[in-house]
Amino acid sequence: MQVAAWPKQVAVIGRYGLPISTDVAFLRESKREVVFVGDADPVDLLVFALLREYLSIRWLGVSDEFLLAQGNQAWPRIQTPLASSEKETCKRLARFCPDYRSLLGTQCSALLDAGMKIELEGALLNK
C-alpha cells in the first residue's frame, strides 16, 4: 500500500461494534470516498463486510501490505491471541466476508488461522 492509496484529506469516524443505520446514512450522504482502517481480526472484517453491503468502501486496514508500508516486520512482538469469541467468529468469517484472505494477505490470514491477530495499534508501533 503506497501513500498514494490514501485519500489526501481524511476525516475519522470511530465506533465500537457494528454500525447502525444512521452511520451508514451519514457516510452515504457525505459524498466522500469511504475507507475502512481496522484491525486484522474477525470483528473488524465483519464490520467492513457489513458496510460494503451498503456503501462503496475500500479496506485500508491492517494487512501484509499495510505492515510492509509501515516498515513493521516485528510480527511476533505485535501479534496477540484471539479471544474465544473471536475464534468462534473466525469459523464464520468465510461465509460473511469471503475475500478476507485477499484483504489481509497471506501472512495476516495465516495468523488468523493460527488463532492470532494484529491490531492497528500494534501495526503502527515502531519496528
Side-chain angles (χ1 to χ4, degrees), residues 31-126:
K31 307 252 191 281
R32 305 274 184 194
E33 178 184 18
V34 179
V35 298
F36 189 93
V37 182
D39 304 331
D41 69 18
V43 174
D44 282 7
L45 287 162
L46 288 177
V47 170
F48 173 76
L50 176 89
L51 285 171
R52 77 175 170 192
E53 291 292 318
Y54 301 98
L55 301 167
S56 175
I57 188 170
R58 260 189 322 141
W59 174 268
L60 290 181
V62 177
S63 65
D64 296 355
E65 195 175 2
F66 183 96
L67 292 168
L68 286 172
Q70 296 301 314
N72 194 336
Q73 297 301 302
W75 291 71
R77 190 170 65 115
I78 62 173
Q79 63 191 29
T80 58
L82 293 172
S84 59
S85 60
E86 292 173 314
K87 287 179 185 176
E88 285 300 312
T89 302
C90 276
K91 295 176 185 176
R92 295 165 185 83
L93 195 53
R95 177 178 169 203
F96 295 105
C97 188
D99 62 337
Y100 78 93
R101 290 184 185 283
S102 65
L103 295 171
L104 294 182
T106 306
Q107 293 180 307
C108 284
S109 294
L111 279 179
L112 274 185
D113 293 340
M116 304 297 283
K117 65 181 175 180
I118 297 178
E119 294 187 338
L120 187 59
E121 299 86 349
L124 294 174
L125 283 176
N126 291 331

